[in-house]
Structures are given as structure tokens and as C-alpha cells.
Amino acid sequence: MARKLYVIGNWKMYKTSREASAYIEALAPLVEGESACVYLAVPFTSIASASACAKETNIVIGAQNMNDAREGAFTGEIAGLMLKEAGAGFVLLGHSERRHIFGESNELIHKKILRAVRDDIQPVVCIGETALQRKSDQTQKVIEEQLVSALEAVPKEALDSLMIAYEPVWAIGTGKVPTLHQIQEIHHFCRQCIAQILGARKASKIPILYGGSVKPENAADIVALDDVDGLLAGGASLNVEAFSAIIRNASKEKTPKKVRKTTIKRVKK
Ligand code: PEP
């Protein structure tokens, strides 16, 4: 079983729908035929036009957030079904800006994951520790709590599409990147935690992406790591040349290969 390679761009609150269309028209020919699956998380207002532009391409359009309810009196919120109808194929959930600026808890993120699954939108669940948590040696504890809360009681059928993005909060938008050793260590730890929650077979299949100051220059080295199945780029994805270079560099480095039959050790409690 081969694990695919994914490169996701997160535009945050940038680009109007007109800018989004122009970007996708420019990006599509640059990444056509690359082995990575290319995803773009665009603002709500650009989902419909961006997915129309991306129709005949290998680019999948998604959202950056959604509400956990099917519908209801929630002024200013957006439902998964609305995103789906607009053309979103996936949704980022639990991005650190949602957790830290908008106060989203592990519990709320879990509810959003369940809703995304019911509404047939692929959830990309973001996890990661703050600088303070890393400094006080809490990284593994925080990551484990986030994964347990996110994944427990998620219906089995949902797990074929779910992805995890490990994004250390201190690396997002700062230009700081963990060492390659640190990235592999945490990705492997994530896989061990997932194995404890869902079993080793599922854990070996779930893609785990790295995010945090990814740029064309570090993309290849990061995806070359054993437990890294792709990249999530914020700032660099706003620029067509930079994002296409990330996709090209990552694709060149890691064409899908057989999943290694490594033994996943149990995590000590
Ligand atoms: C992000 O927004 O998820 C992100 C990783 O941002 P940046 O690449 O700018 O650090």
C-alpha cells in the first residue's frame, strides 16, 4: 500500500475570488503531472470560483474552517454542506490560529471532525505545540492529547480520508523550522499515538504532513523524512512561483513508495 504525497496551501484571510481564479490559472500548468496531490485551502468567498477554475486540473479546493452543526441559528458561521455544495473537497480543522486566536478547544475540533465526516468533506486536522510547551518539555503530552481528542470515536470509514498536519505553533509564519531530526521524531511519535488509538494498520496509512515556515528551499529535505507524507504551507502558498516550486521539489524527492513495515512501538503512558 503506497501512502500518497500531499502539498497543501493555506491562504488564510488573503486573496479575493478574482485573485484566486488568476492564481489557479497560473498554478495549474506549473504543477500538472507532478506526483503530489495539490490542495488549496482558500477563503470561503473564493471556494466556488476557485473550484470552477480547478475543475480540469489536479488541484483540490478546500476550506479553512467550518461549524460543527449541520445548520442552525449561528450568525456568521458556515456549514459543511454549504462548503461541499460550493465545491470544497476538504477542510482544515484545528489550525493553530483557530485554536489560539478564536479559542477553539480539542472538544470543539473533535465535533467539527465528526461533522465534516458526516458531510463528506475530508478533514485535515492540525495539531502542534506552542513555544512555551516545547520549552517546558510538554510537546509529546500536548500532541498526544490533541490526537486522542481528535481521533477517538471517529467512525472507521472516515479514517480512510482523514489527514493530520503537524504544525508547531512557534514555526508558523516565523521563519523558524524544527531540525529535520525533530520533525521526524514528532511525526514518528504521532504515528505511534495514532497506532495506540486506531491500531497499527490504520496508523501506517494516515498521511501526516508537516507545516511551519515551509519554503522551496526546505521542502525536499522535509518530505524525504520517513514519517512525513507531505507539507502544509501558509505564507509561501500565496505566491504561485514559490508554491509550485515547493510542489515540484517535494514531488521530485518523494514519489509514492511502499509503506515500510516498521514496528510501531506502544507509547508509554
Ligand atoms: C500555516 O498557516 O498553516 C502555515 C504553516 O503557515 P507558514 O507556512 O506561513 O508558516
Side-chain angles (χ1 to χ4, degrees):
M1 240 307 273
R3 266 199 315 262
K4 287 184 188 159
L5 171 69
Y6 295 86
V7 179
I8 302 183
N10 172 20
W11 284 356
K12 312 190 189 219
M13 200 175 71
Y14 293 100
K15 294 197 191 291
T16 64
S17 61
R18 201 173 300 163
E19 289 166 338
S21 302
Y23 177 110
I24 289 160
E25 275 163 26
L27 179 69
L30 298 177
V31 299
E32 197 183 1
E34 295 296 348
S35 62
C37 303
V38 181
Y39 282 32
L40 270 178
V42 305
F44 295 142
T45 50
S46 299
I47 291 173
S49 58
S51 48
C53 272
K55 210 162 187 178
E56 304 294 326
T57 74
N58 58 341
I59 303 165
V60 179
I61 300 300
Q64 301 168 16
N65 181 33
M66 59 179 267
N67 192 273
D68 63 304
R70 186 178 184 275
E71 59 184 359
F74 302 113
T75 303
E77 285 295 285
I78 193 133
L81 289 173
M82 296 167 186
L83 299 177
K84 179 89 187 160
E85 194 178 287
F90 75 99
V91 61
L92 298 183
L93 294 175
H95 188 280
S96 80
E97 285 148 19
R98 300 298 318 171
R99 290 178 189 263
H100 298 287
I101 303 173
F102 298 99
E104 292 194 4
S105 63
N106 281 341
E107 291 69 30
L108 178 60
I109 292 157
H110 176 66
K111 286 188 196 159
K112 290 186 179 199
I113 295 168
L114 294 179
R115 172 57 53 197
V117 166
R118 281 189 208 121
D119 292 345
D120 193 25
I121 301 190
Q122 179 177 21
V124 179
V125 183
C126 304
I127 58 169
E129 81 287 0
T130 63
L132 201 66
Q133 288 162 340
R134 179 164 278 263
K135 226 172 152 188
S136 53
D137 221 7
Q138 302 273 301
T139 301
Q140 296 201 346
K141 180 176 168 282
V142 169
I143 298 289
E144 188 177 2
E145 280 169 3
Q146 290 173 338
L147 281 171
V148 168
S149 168
L151 297 179
E152 267 188 345
V154 174
K156 274 212 170 64
E157 59 278 10
L159 299 167
D160 292 338
S161 71
L162 185 137
M163 282 195 254
I164 299 293
Y166 167 63
E167 302 201 289
V169 181
W170 51 274
I172 296 181
T174 59
K176 292 182 193 156
V177 183
T179 64
L180 294 173
H181 176 77
Q182 286 170 327
I183 296 175
Q184 168 54 25
E185 191 177 47
I186 292 294
H187 276 240
H188 188 68
F189 177 74
C190 289
R191 217 174 282 291
Q192 288 179 312
C193 290
I194 299 170
Q196 266 207 336
I197 306 162
L198 305 173
R201 217 168 135 255
K202 280 278 179 215
S204 69
K205 290 183 186 161
I206 289 188
I208 307 175
L209 280 54
Y210 169 79
S213 296
V214 169
K215 27 185 205 282
E217 297 75 28
N218 58 20
D221 285 343
I222 298 173
V223 292
L225 299 169
D226 272 355
D227 282 294
V228 175
D229 303 306
L231 302 166
L232 201 166
S237 73
L238 293 171
N239 178 284
V240 178
E241 279 71 38
F243 191 51
S244 60
I246 290 172
I247 295 162
R248 265 195 311 277
N249 295 350
S251 299
K252 234 181 278 157
E253 183 59 43
K254 199 170 200 162
T255 36
K257 63 180 182 207
K258 298 256 185 214
V259 172
R260 296 144 298 112
K261 282 200 174 158
T262 48
T263 347
I264 299 171
K265 286 187 232 118
R266 289 184 71 77
V267 182
K268 273 197 219 118
K269 287 272 177 196

